[in-house]
Amino acid sequence: MVFYIIYILVAIVLFTFLAGFTLFAVYAERKVAGFVQDRLGPMETGKFGSLQTIADILKLLQKEFISPASADKILFAAAPVIVFVAVYLGFAAMPWAPNLAPAALNLGLFYVIAIISVEAIGVLMAGWGSNNKFALLGALRSVAQLVSYEIPAGLSLIAAVMITQTLDMQTVTINQGVLSQERLLCLGLWEVQHVGGLFAWNIFQAPHLILAYIIYFIASLAECNRAPFDIPEAESELVSGYHTEYGGLRFAFFFLAEYCLMFLVAMIGVILFLGGWNTPLPNIGSLKLAMWTTGTAWGIVWVLVKTLAVVGVQILIRWTLPRLRVDQLMSLCWKVLTPLAFLCIVLSGIWRILVMV
């Protein structure tokens, strides 16, 4: 009974954190958009507009549920829940610090990739259930995009897994810092298991993983339907894409799912490539910076700092690059990212055999 209570409390804490992150991220995005476009962004509600997102969520909560008369009521109502739950469950296997993860799974990375893919079903349900041509076109675009970009994203993660030799995300993180019991080589030349810091991160243990991370980052933008890959929600063409007919709390679930997915894909990249909860500070002689800044509290801090930095880049890109056309999006996936991801897998195999033996 105690275990069930703990699971429920962990779920509540995680949901509270994600809801708070979404409020912060929406405000930050509006301010970044204002900065990029040489304007102020929200300024009226609260100090510097800091209460604007709270006012927005209160407004959404007060709106009534409206379903189109010709919509499939069951699919229409279930779609936003499925989209959010698919993303939310992905956090179950994410390590936040040493010995701190909602669930310790040997196949953690496989589980996360599998559960995120369920989002495509919810998106398709939203488009079809709305019985709206704009929504259906947006859903078809989104599903095609999700299915396509999961391939280079997955292949780039496989390249990292071939280096780490495990799908357990906690083990992956441990083997990128001073707590590792394995032999770690920076650039294949310098033993760094006692040095730690950023020199032990996977992108420095195997330099070609820098390319793999870039591929993953680009593909993750498409997974989140973020610009320049936001054609499923193209306002100029499809009104609002697959959630055109949604309002109130149902729309809020889509919104919450998008920002939670931004955080989730950023955190996956941080764990697989950028050291996860490991500190970027190395041990330097008698200055044991890595040891001093490793632990539960420090781990949470480093995960948040790294992940929020990646989310910040995602936000900045949205207000910097123009939207791609559908043919450009697919060409980038199948003609550029996927071949490069296969190349990273080959390089990982060679690196593992010749350098890391």
Side-chain angles (χ1 to χ4, degrees):
M1 187 65 181
V2 176
F3 290 107
Y4 289 111
I5 295 175
I6 293 175
Y7 292 151
I8 293 172
L9 290 176
V10 169
I12 292 173
V13 170
L14 188 56
F15 178 82
T16 303
F17 167 76
L18 293 175
F21 162 75
T22 300
L23 291 177
F24 165 77
V26 172
Y27 174 74
E29 177 142 27
R30 289 177 173 179
K31 283 298 187 182
V32 170
F35 173 77
V36 172
Q37 298 172 352
D38 196 22
R39 54 185 177 82
L40 296 176
M43 289 294 292
E44 298 298 325
T45 309
K47 186 72 170 179
F48 302 114
S50 57
L51 299 179
Q52 183 62 56
T53 52
I54 297 177
D56 289 339
I57 194 63
L58 291 176
K59 176 188 69 175
L60 290 174
L61 289 173
Q62 294 178 62
K63 289 187 174 183
E64 63 178 315
F65 289 136
I66 298 177
S67 300
S70 58
D72 185 314
K73 299 297 189 294
I74 297 177
L75 294 182
F76 186 81
V81 178
I82 290 178
V83 169
F84 171 72
V85 170
V87 176
Y88 177 65
L89 291 178
F91 285 91
M94 306 302 289
W96 294 82
N99 302 315
L100 181 60
L105 300 177
N106 292 332
L107 299 175
L109 181 60
F110 179 79
Y111 161 80
V112 173
I113 295 174
I115 202 70
I116 290 177
S117 65
V118 176
E119 181 200 8
I121 298 175
V123 169
L124 191 57
M125 288 170 59
W128 180 264
S130 296
N131 197 21
N132 177 301
K133 291 182 179 178
F134 292 118
L136 181 58
L137 285 173
L140 294 177
R141 282 183 174 188
S142 182
V143 171
Q145 180 172 308
L146 289 172
V147 172
S148 297
Y149 276 84
E150 280 178 357
I151 293 174
L155 293 175
S156 60
L157 293 178
I158 289 174
V161 168
M162 290 176 67
I163 297 297
T164 61
Q165 295 289 290
T166 180
L167 290 170
D168 186 333
M169 302 185 78
Q170 188 69 276
T171 304
V172 170
T173 311
I174 290 173
N175 289 335
Q176 295 181 76
V178 289
L179 300 182
S180 174
Q181 301 298 316
E182 304 290 332
R183 179 169 174 260
L184 307 180
L185 295 175
C186 178
L187 304 178
L189 303 172
W190 174 29
E191 291 194 10
V192 292
Q193 62 267 28
H194 302 300
V195 176
L198 58 85
F199 301 109
W201 295 357
N202 277 338
I203 58 172
F204 293 107
Q205 288 190 50
H208 67 276
L209 290 186
I210 296 176
L211 174 60
Y213 179 64
I214 293 173
I215 294 170
Y216 171 77
F217 178 77
I218 295 173
S220 70
L221 290 178
E223 287 281 308
C224 299
N225 291 332
R226 299 283 299 182
F229 306 102
D230 60 339
I231 59 169
E233 304 170 13
E235 297 91 345
S236 59
E237 307 162 32
L238 302 177
V239 185
S240 189
Y242 57 87
H243 48 65
T244 296
E245 299 289 353
Y246 287 90
L249 190 59
R250 288 170 175 169
F251 174 77
F253 268 102
F254 279 117
F255 213 60
L256 182 61
E258 177 181 332
Y259 280 89
C260 290
L261 185 58
M262 286 172 58
F263 191 93
L264 180 59
V265 297
M267 191 173 178
I268 293 172
V270 165
I271 291 170
L272 266 293
F273 299 97
L274 304 179
W277 43 253
N278 284 295
T279 174
L281 305 176
N283 292 327
I284 305 175
S286 59
L287 293 175
K288 304 297 183 181
L289 299 179
M291 298 300 298
W292 296 339
T293 56
T294 297
T296 301
W298 278 108
I300 296 174
V301 169
W302 293 126
V303 163
L304 289 177
V305 168
K306 295 174 187 178
T307 304
L308 291 177
V310 176
V311 171
V313 175
Q314 293 175 341
I315 292 174
L316 187 62
I317 288 176
R318 175 178 179 179
W319 302 102
T320 305
L321 299 179
R323 180 185 303 134
L324 296 179
R325 298 194 313 265
V326 177
D327 62 309
Q328 293 173 328
L329 180 140
M330 290 301 175
S331 294
L332 176 64
C333 174
W334 294 105
K335 296 181 180 179
V336 179
L337 297 184
T338 300
L340 287 177
F342 274 115
L343 175 63
C344 288
I345 289 178
V346 173
L347 292 176
S348 287
I350 296 173
W351 190 270
R352 184 73 199 183
I353 293 173
L354 298 183
V355 178
M356 301 184 69
V357 290

mmCIF file of all heavy atoms in Angstrom, residues 310-350:
data_model
loop_
_atom_site.group_PDB
_atom_site.id
_atom_site.type_symbol
_atom_site.label_atom_id
_atom_site.label_comp_id
_atom_site.label_asym_id
_atom_site.label_seq_id
_atom_site.Cartn_x
_atom_site.Cartn_y
_atom_site.Cartn_z
ATOM 1 N N VAL A 310 18.724 23.876 -23.483
ATOM 2 C CA VAL A 310 18.312 23.317 -24.771
ATOM 3 C C VAL A 310 16.922 23.822 -25.151
ATOM 4 O O VAL A 310 16.674 24.176 -26.307
ATOM 5 C CB VAL A 310 18.328 21.774 -24.722
ATOM 6 C CG1 VAL A 310 17.798 21.190 -26.025
ATOM 7 C CG2 VAL A 310 19.746 21.270 -24.473
ATOM 8 N N VAL A 311 16.010 23.885 -24.181
ATOM 9 C CA VAL A 311 14.667 24.425 -24.445
ATOM 10 C C VAL A 311 14.764 25.875 -24.896
ATOM 11 O O VAL A 311 14.028 26.314 -25.793
ATOM 12 C CB VAL A 311 13.779 24.299 -23.192
ATOM 13 C CG1 VAL A 311 12.467 25.061 -23.384
ATOM 14 C CG2 VAL A 311 13.490 22.838 -22.887
ATOM 15 N N GLY A 312 15.680 26.628 -24.289
ATOM 16 C CA GLY A 312 15.878 28.013 -24.711
ATOM 17 C C GLY A 312 16.304 28.118 -26.169
ATOM 18 O O GLY A 312 15.842 29.012 -26.898
ATOM 19 N N VAL A 313 17.158 27.202 -26.603
ATOM 20 C CA VAL A 313 17.565 27.185 -28.013
ATOM 21 C C VAL A 313 16.371 26.836 -28.899
ATOM 22 O O VAL A 313 16.183 27.421 -29.976
ATOM 23 C CB VAL A 313 18.715 26.179 -28.233
ATOM 24 C CG1 VAL A 313 19.062 26.073 -29.714
ATOM 25 C CG2 VAL A 313 19.943 26.598 -27.434
ATOM 26 N N GLN A 314 15.537 25.877 -28.465
ATOM 27 C CA GLN A 314 14.337 25.527 -29.220
ATOM 28 C C GLN A 314 13.431 26.744 -29.401
ATOM 29 O O GLN A 314 12.898 26.989 -30.493
ATOM 30 C CB GLN A 314 13.556 24.426 -28.490
ATOM 31 C CG GLN A 314 14.254 23.083 -28.441
ATOM 32 C CD GLN A 314 13.482 22.082 -27.594
ATOM 33 O OE1 GLN A 314 12.639 22.449 -26.779
ATOM 34 N NE2 GLN A 314 13.767 20.811 -27.773
ATOM 35 N N ILE A 315 13.260 27.520 -28.335
ATOM 36 C CA ILE A 315 12.413 28.711 -28.400
ATOM 37 C C ILE A 315 13.011 29.756 -29.331
ATOM 38 O O ILE A 315 12.315 30.359 -30.153
ATOM 39 C CB ILE A 315 12.208 29.292 -26.989
ATOM 40 C CG1 ILE A 315 11.362 28.337 -26.143
ATOM 41 C CG2 ILE A 315 11.563 30.662 -27.047
ATOM 42 C CD1 ILE A 315 11.229 28.748 -24.683
ATOM 43 N N LEU A 316 14.322 29.957 -29.218
ATOM 44 C CA LEU A 316 14.980 30.959 -30.052
ATOM 45 C C LEU A 316 14.877 30.609 -31.529
ATOM 46 O O LEU A 316 14.651 31.484 -32.383
ATOM 47 C CB LEU A 316 16.452 31.088 -29.639
ATOM 48 C CG LEU A 316 17.247 32.217 -30.293
ATOM 49 C CD1 LEU A 316 16.656 33.574 -29.929
ATOM 50 C CD2 LEU A 316 18.709 32.153 -29.872
ATOM 51 N N ILE A 317 15.021 29.326 -31.852
ATOM 52 C CA ILE A 317 14.930 28.886 -33.243
ATOM 53 C C ILE A 317 13.549 29.162 -33.810
ATOM 54 O O ILE A 317 13.400 29.551 -34.970
ATOM 55 C CB ILE A 317 15.288 27.389 -33.351
ATOM 56 C CG1 ILE A 317 16.786 27.195 -33.149
ATOM 57 C CG2 ILE A 317 14.856 26.813 -34.701
ATOM 58 C CD1 ILE A 317 17.227 25.753 -33.139
ATOM 59 N N ARG A 318 12.504 28.973 -32.979
ATOM 60 C CA ARG A 318 11.142 29.180 -33.475
ATOM 61 C C ARG A 318 10.950 30.589 -34.021
ATOM 62 O O ARG A 318 10.242 30.786 -35.003
ATOM 63 C CB ARG A 318 10.126 28.916 -32.357
ATOM 64 C CG ARG A 318 8.702 29.231 -32.791
ATOM 65 C CD ARG A 318 7.682 28.930 -31.731
ATOM 66 N NE ARG A 318 6.350 29.267 -32.208
ATOM 67 C CZ ARG A 318 5.245 29.099 -31.501
ATOM 68 N NH1 ARG A 318 5.310 28.596 -30.281
ATOM 69 N NH2 ARG A 318 4.072 29.422 -31.992
ATOM 70 N N TRP A 319 11.559 31.565 -33.368
ATOM 71 C CA TRP A 319 11.346 32.954 -33.771
ATOM 72 C C TRP A 319 12.478 33.469 -34.644
ATOM 73 O O TRP A 319 12.623 34.675 -34.823
ATOM 74 C CB TRP A 319 11.180 33.821 -32.525
ATOM 75 C CG TRP A 319 10.055 33.344 -31.694
ATOM 76 C CD1 TRP A 319 10.123 32.607 -30.554
ATOM 77 C CD2 TRP A 319 8.666 33.511 -31.971
ATOM 78 N NE1 TRP A 319 8.869 32.315 -30.084
ATOM 79 C CE2 TRP A 319 7.953 32.859 -30.928
ATOM 80 C CE3 TRP A 319 7.945 34.154 -32.989
ATOM 81 C CZ2 TRP A 319 6.564 32.841 -30.885
ATOM 82 C CZ3 TRP A 319 6.569 34.135 -32.942
ATOM 83 C CH2 TRP A 319 5.889 33.485 -31.893
ATOM 84 N N THR A 320 13.274 32.557 -35.186
ATOM 85 C CA THR A 320 14.407 32.960 -36.024
ATOM 86 C C THR A 320 14.300 32.408 -37.435
ATOM 87 O O THR A 320 14.555 33.134 -38.407
ATOM 88 C CB THR A 320 15.729 32.462 -35.394
ATOM 89 O OG1 THR A 320 15.826 32.936 -34.055
ATOM 90 C CG2 THR A 320 16.923 32.967 -36.192
ATOM 91 N N LEU A 321 13.916 31.130 -37.580
ATOM 92 C CA LEU A 321 13.932 30.473 -38.884
ATOM 93 C C LEU A 321 12.527 30.409 -39.488
ATOM 94 O O LEU A 321 11.545 30.234 -38.766
ATOM 95 C CB LEU A 321 14.486 29.047 -38.754
ATOM 96 C CG LEU A 321 15.921 28.936 -38.227
ATOM 97 C CD1 LEU A 321 16.325 27.480 -38.119
ATOM 98 C CD2 LEU A 321 16.885 29.695 -39.130
ATOM 99 N N PRO A 322 12.412 30.545 -40.808
ATOM 100 C CA PRO A 322 11.104 30.431 -41.469
ATOM 101 C C PRO A 322 10.659 28.976 -41.564
ATOM 102 O O PRO A 322 11.466 28.053 -41.514
ATOM 103 C CB PRO A 322 11.358 31.023 -42.861
ATOM 104 C CG PRO A 322 12.813 30.753 -43.111
ATOM 105 C CD PRO A 322 13.488 30.869 -41.770
ATOM 106 N N ARG A 323 9.358 28.775 -41.736
ATOM 107 C CA ARG A 323 8.786 27.434 -41.833
ATOM 108 C C ARG A 323 9.188 26.774 -43.141
ATOM 109 O O ARG A 323 9.222 27.397 -44.196
ATOM 110 C CB ARG A 323 7.258 27.538 -41.741
ATOM 111 C CG ARG A 323 6.545 26.195 -41.821
ATOM 112 C CD ARG A 323 5.039 26.410 -41.840
ATOM 113 N NE ARG A 323 4.603 27.158 -40.679
ATOM 114 C CZ ARG A 323 3.764 28.185 -40.724
ATOM 115 N NH1 ARG A 323 3.297 28.605 -41.885
ATOM 116 N NH2 ARG A 323 3.414 28.805 -39.627
ATOM 117 N N LEU A 324 9.505 25.470 -43.062
ATOM 118 C CA LEU A 324 9.831 24.701 -44.264
ATOM 119 C C LEU A 324 8.559 24.274 -44.980
ATOM 120 O O LEU A 324 7.499 24.117 -44.374
ATOM 121 C CB LEU A 324 10.631 23.449 -43.893
ATOM 122 C CG LEU A 324 12.008 23.647 -43.264
ATOM 123 C CD1 LEU A 324 12.620 22.298 -42.961
ATOM 124 C CD2 LEU A 324 12.916 24.456 -44.155
ATOM 125 N N ARG A 325 8.677 24.076 -46.294
ATOM 126 C CA ARG A 325 7.582 23.461 -47.043
ATOM 127 C C ARG A 325 7.579 21.958 -46.759
ATOM 128 O O ARG A 325 8.541 21.404 -46.253
ATOM 129 C CB ARG A 325 7.761 23.687 -48.547
ATOM 130 C CG ARG A 325 7.737 25.118 -48.990
ATOM 131 C CD ARG A 325 7.564 25.187 -50.515
ATOM 132 N NE ARG A 325 8.451 24.278 -51.220
ATOM 133 C CZ ARG A 325 9.629 24.626 -51.719
ATOM 134 N NH1 ARG A 325 10.068 25.860 -51.574
ATOM 135 N NH2 ARG A 325 10.376 23.739 -52.355
ATOM 136 N N VAL A 326 6.469 21.302 -47.100
ATOM 137 C CA VAL A 326 6.354 19.873 -46.841
ATOM 138 C C VAL A 326 7.444 19.097 -47.573
ATOM 139 O O VAL A 326 8.077 18.198 -47.004
ATOM 140 C CB VAL A 326 4.963 19.358 -47.270
ATOM 141 C CG1 VAL A 326 4.866 17.852 -47.056
ATOM 142 C CG2 VAL A 326 3.868 20.064 -46.497
ATOM 143 N N ASP A 327 7.689 19.419 -48.833
ATOM 144 C CA ASP A 327 8.702 18.681 -49.589
ATOM 145 C C ASP A 327 10.099 18.930 -49.029
ATOM 146 O O ASP A 327 10.939 18.012 -48.989
ATOM 147 C CB ASP A 327 8.635 19.069 -51.077
ATOM 148 C CG ASP A 327 8.923 20.547 -51.299
ATOM 149 O OD1 ASP A 327 8.280 21.377 -50.615
ATOM 150 O OD2 ASP A 327 9.785 20.866 -52.141
ATOM 151 N N GLN A 328 10.368 20.150 -48.553
ATOM 152 C CA GLN A 328 11.666 20.436 -47.955
ATOM 153 C C GLN A 328 11.851 19.654 -46.650
ATOM 154 O O GLN A 328 12.929 19.121 -46.373
ATOM 155 C CB GLN A 328 11.793 21.938 -47.674
ATOM 156 C CG GLN A 328 11.853 22.793 -48.925
ATOM 157 C CD GLN A 328 11.811 24.274 -48.606
ATOM 158 O OE1 GLN A 328 11.176 24.694 -47.628
ATOM 159 N NE2 GLN A 328 12.460 25.087 -49.428
ATOM 160 N N LEU A 329 10.763 19.575 -45.883
ATOM 161 C CA LEU A 329 10.812 18.854 -44.615
ATOM 162 C C LEU A 329 11.126 17.378 -44.836
ATOM 163 O O LEU A 329 11.982 16.799 -44.165
ATOM 164 C CB LEU A 329 9.473 19.027 -43.895
ATOM 165 C CG LEU A 329 9.317 18.348 -42.533
ATOM 166 C CD1 LEU A 329 8.569 19.266 -41.578
ATOM 167 C CD2 LEU A 329 8.548 17.034 -42.661
ATOM 168 N N MET A 330 10.445 16.757 -45.781
ATOM 169 C CA MET A 330 10.659 15.340 -46.043
ATOM 170 C C MET A 330 12.027 15.081 -46.682
ATOM 171 O O MET A 330 12.691 14.084 -46.390
ATOM 172 C CB MET A 330 9.548 14.790 -46.934
ATOM 173 C CG MET A 330 8.211 14.703 -46.230
ATOM 174 S SD MET A 330 8.316 13.641 -44.775
ATOM 175 C CE MET A 330 6.678 13.862 -44.075
ATOM 176 N N SER A 331 12.458 15.974 -47.556
ATOM 177 C CA SER A 331 13.784 15.818 -48.170
ATOM 178 C C SER A 331 14.885 15.891 -47.122
ATOM 179 O O SER A 331 15.847 15.113 -47.161
ATOM 180 C CB SER A 331 13.999 16.904 -49.234
ATOM 181 O OG SER A 331 13.116 16.731 -50.321
ATOM 182 N N LEU A 332 14.751 16.830 -46.184
ATOM 183 C CA LEU A 332 15.744 16.943 -45.120
ATOM 184 C C LEU A 332 15.817 15.654 -44.305
ATOM 185 O O LEU A 332 16.905 15.180 -43.957
ATOM 186 C CB LEU A 332 15.393 18.123 -44.206
ATOM 187 C CG LEU A 332 16.290 18.318 -42.982
ATOM 188 C CD1 LEU A 332 17.721 18.640 -43.406
ATOM 189 C CD2 LEU A 332 15.743 19.418 -42.077
ATOM 190 N N CYS A 333 14.649 15.072 -44.017
ATOM 191 C CA CYS A 333 14.602 13.852 -43.209
ATOM 192 C C CYS A 333 15.240 12.675 -43.932
ATOM 193 O O CYS A 333 16.153 12.026 -43.408
ATOM 194 C CB CYS A 333 13.155 13.534 -42.838
ATOM 195 S SG CYS A 333 12.941 11.951 -41.979
ATOM 196 N N TRP A 334 14.742 12.389 -45.144
ATOM 197 C CA TRP A 334 15.113 11.145 -45.826
ATOM 198 C C TRP A 334 16.420 11.237 -46.615
ATOM 199 O O TRP A 334 17.106 10.228 -46.794
ATOM 200 C CB TRP A 334 13.979 10.720 -46.766
ATOM 201 C CG TRP A 334 12.747 10.353 -46.023
ATOM 202 C CD1 TRP A 334 11.601 11.087 -45.905
ATOM 203 C CD2 TRP A 334 12.530 9.165 -45.246
ATOM 204 N NE1 TRP A 334 10.678 10.441 -45.121
ATOM 205 C CE2 TRP A 334 11.221 9.242 -44.704
ATOM 206 C CE3 TRP A 334 13.289 8.034 -44.971
ATOM 207 C CZ2 TRP A 334 10.675 8.263 -43.902
ATOM 208 C CZ3 TRP A 334 12.746 7.049 -44.176
ATOM 209 C CH2 TRP A 334 11.444 7.167 -43.647
ATOM 210 N N LYS A 335 16.777 12.423 -47.077
ATOM 211 C CA LYS A 335 17.969 12.562 -47.916
ATOM 212 C C LYS A 335 19.195 13.070 -47.161
ATOM 213 O O LYS A 335 20.323 12.925 -47.643
ATOM 214 C CB LYS A 335 17.677 13.515 -49.083
ATOM 215 C CG LYS A 335 16.609 13.005 -50.041
ATOM 216 C CD LYS A 335 16.390 13.996 -51.170
ATOM 217 C CE LYS A 335 15.317 13.487 -52.135
ATOM 218 N NZ LYS A 335 15.060 14.455 -53.248
ATOM 219 N N VAL A 336 18.972 13.676 -45.988
ATOM 220 C CA VAL A 336 20.103 14.257 -45.248
ATOM 221 C C VAL A 336 20.261 13.602 -43.877
ATOM 222 O O VAL A 336 21.281 12.964 -43.586
ATOM 223 C CB VAL A 336 19.941 15.789 -45.091
ATOM 224 C CG1 VAL A 336 21.115 16.366 -44.300
ATOM 225 C CG2 VAL A 336 19.828 16.459 -46.451
ATOM 226 N N LEU A 337 19.245 13.739 -43.018
ATOM 227 C CA LEU A 337 19.388 13.306 -41.634
ATOM 228 C C LEU A 337 19.503 11.790 -41.493
ATOM 229 O O LEU A 337 20.342 11.292 -40.733
ATOM 230 C CB LEU A 337 18.211 13.820 -40.803
ATOM 231 C CG LEU A 337 18.072 15.344 -40.683
ATOM 232 C CD1 LEU A 337 16.923 15.692 -39.745
ATOM 233 C CD2 LEU A 337 19.366 15.973 -40.192
ATOM 234 N N THR A 338 18.646 11.060 -42.212
ATOM 235 C CA THR A 338 18.682 9.601 -42.080
ATOM 236 C C THR A 338 20.014 9.001 -42.550
ATOM 237 O O THR A 338 20.604 8.170 -41.842
ATOM 238 C CB THR A 338 17.501 8.960 -42.839
ATOM 239 O OG1 THR A 338 16.271 9.457 -42.284
ATOM 240 C CG2 THR A 338 17.531 7.448 -42.729
ATOM 241 N N PRO A 339 20.553 9.366 -43.742
ATOM 242 C CA PRO A 339 21.881 8.841 -44.120
ATOM 243 C C PRO A 339 22.976 9.219 -43.134
ATOM 244 O O PRO A 339 23.847 8.393 -42.819
ATOM 245 C CB PRO A 339 22.128 9.487 -45.496
ATOM 246 C CG PRO A 339 20.769 9.779 -46.032
ATOM 247 C CD PRO A 339 19.955 10.156 -44.839
ATOM 248 N N LEU A 340 22.932 10.452 -42.619
ATOM 249 C CA LEU A 340 23.947 10.865 -41.642
ATOM 250 C C LEU A 340 23.809 10.075 -40.342
ATOM 251 O O LEU A 340 24.817 9.733 -39.706
ATOM 252 C CB LEU A 340 23.824 12.372 -41.364
ATOM 253 C CG LEU A 340 24.299 13.306 -42.474
ATOM 254 C CD1 LEU A 340 24.049 14.755 -42.088
ATOM 255 C CD2 LEU A 340 25.784 13.093 -42.760
ATOM 256 N N ALA A 341 22.571 9.764 -39.957
ATOM 257 C CA ALA A 341 22.369 8.967 -38.749
ATOM 258 C C ALA A 341 22.924 7.560 -38.923
ATOM 259 O O ALA A 341 23.534 6.994 -37.998
ATOM 260 C CB ALA A 341 20.879 8.924 -38.399
ATOM 261 N N PHE A 342 22.717 6.961 -40.115
ATOM 262 C CA PHE A 342 23.311 5.645 -40.390
ATOM 263 C C PHE A 342 24.838 5.736 -40.336
ATOM 264 O O PHE A 342 25.506 4.813 -39.842
ATOM 265 C CB PHE A 342 22.858 5.134 -41.751
ATOM 266 C CG PHE A 342 21.544 4.402 -41.724
ATOM 267 C CD1 PHE A 342 20.437 4.902 -42.383
ATOM 268 C CD2 PHE A 342 21.420 3.203 -41.037
ATOM 269 C CE1 PHE A 342 19.221 4.233 -42.353
ATOM 270 C CE2 PHE A 342 20.211 2.519 -41.000
ATOM 271 C CZ PHE A 342 19.113 3.039 -41.663
ATOM 272 N N LEU A 343 25.400 6.822 -40.849
ATOM 273 C CA LEU A 343 26.845 7.016 -40.794
ATOM 274 C C LEU A 343 27.324 7.057 -39.342
ATOM 275 O O LEU A 343 28.369 6.465 -39.011
ATOM 276 C CB LEU A 343 27.226 8.312 -41.516
ATOM 277 C CG LEU A 343 28.703 8.729 -41.438
ATOM 278 C CD1 LEU A 343 29.580 7.671 -42.109
ATOM 279 C CD2 LEU A 343 28.921 10.092 -42.080
ATOM 280 N N CYS A 344 26.571 7.714 -38.477
ATOM 281 C CA CYS A 344 26.939 7.772 -37.060
ATOM 282 C C CYS A 344 26.936 6.385 -36.427
ATOM 283 O O CYS A 344 27.783 6.071 -35.581
ATOM 284 C CB CYS A 344 25.980 8.703 -36.308
ATOM 285 S SG CYS A 344 26.207 10.456 -36.677
ATOM 286 N N ILE A 345 25.979 5.547 -36.839
ATOM 287 C CA ILE A 345 25.935 4.181 -36.316
ATOM 288 C C ILE A 345 27.184 3.409 -36.736
ATOM 289 O O ILE A 345 27.806 2.702 -35.931
ATOM 290 C CB ILE A 345 24.653 3.471 -36.800
ATOM 291 C CG1 ILE A 345 23.424 4.053 -36.099
ATOM 292 C CG2 ILE A 345 24.735 1.970 -36.555
ATOM 293 C CD1 ILE A 345 22.115 3.439 -36.549
ATOM 294 N N VAL A 346 27.572 3.546 -37.994
ATOM 295 C CA VAL A 346 28.781 2.871 -38.478
ATOM 296 C C VAL A 346 30.011 3.355 -37.717
ATOM 297 O O VAL A 346 30.853 2.559 -37.279
ATOM 298 C CB VAL A 346 28.950 3.109 -39.994
ATOM 299 C CG1 VAL A 346 30.291 2.552 -40.470
ATOM 300 C CG2 VAL A 346 27.812 2.473 -40.776
ATOM 301 N N LEU A 347 30.095 4.671 -37.523
ATOM 302 C CA LEU A 347 31.234 5.235 -36.793
ATOM 303 C C LEU A 347 31.247 4.767 -35.347
ATOM 304 O O LEU A 347 32.319 4.523 -34.779
ATOM 305 C CB LEU A 347 31.186 6.766 -36.862
ATOM 306 C CG LEU A 347 31.422 7.390 -38.237
ATOM 307 C CD1 LEU A 347 31.245 8.904 -38.175
ATOM 308 C CD2 LEU A 347 32.822 7.051 -38.746
ATOM 309 N N SER A 348 30.069 4.621 -34.750
ATOM 310 C CA SER A 348 30.000 4.128 -33.369
ATOM 311 C C SER A 348 30.533 2.702 -33.282
ATOM 312 O O SER A 348 31.253 2.350 -32.332
ATOM 313 C CB SER A 348 28.554 4.173 -32.857
ATOM 314 O OG SER A 348 28.148 5.497 -32.589
ATOM 315 N N GLY A 349 30.166 1.861 -34.264
ATOM 316 C CA GLY A 349 30.672 0.495 -34.275
ATOM 317 C C GLY A 349 32.179 0.448 -34.401
ATOM 318 O O GLY A 349 32.859 -0.286 -33.667
ATOM 319 N N ILE A 350 32.717 1.253 -35.333
ATOM 320 C CA ILE A 350 34.171 1.297 -35.531
ATOM 321 C C ILE A 350 34.867 1.820 -34.279
ATOM 322 O O ILE A 350 35.885 1.269 -33.827
ATOM 323 C CB ILE A 350 34.512 2.166 -36.757
ATOM 324 C CG1 ILE A 350 33.952 1.525 -38.025
ATOM 325 C CG2 ILE A 350 36.019 2.373 -36.867
ATOM 326 C CD1 ILE A 350 34.097 2.403 -39.253
#
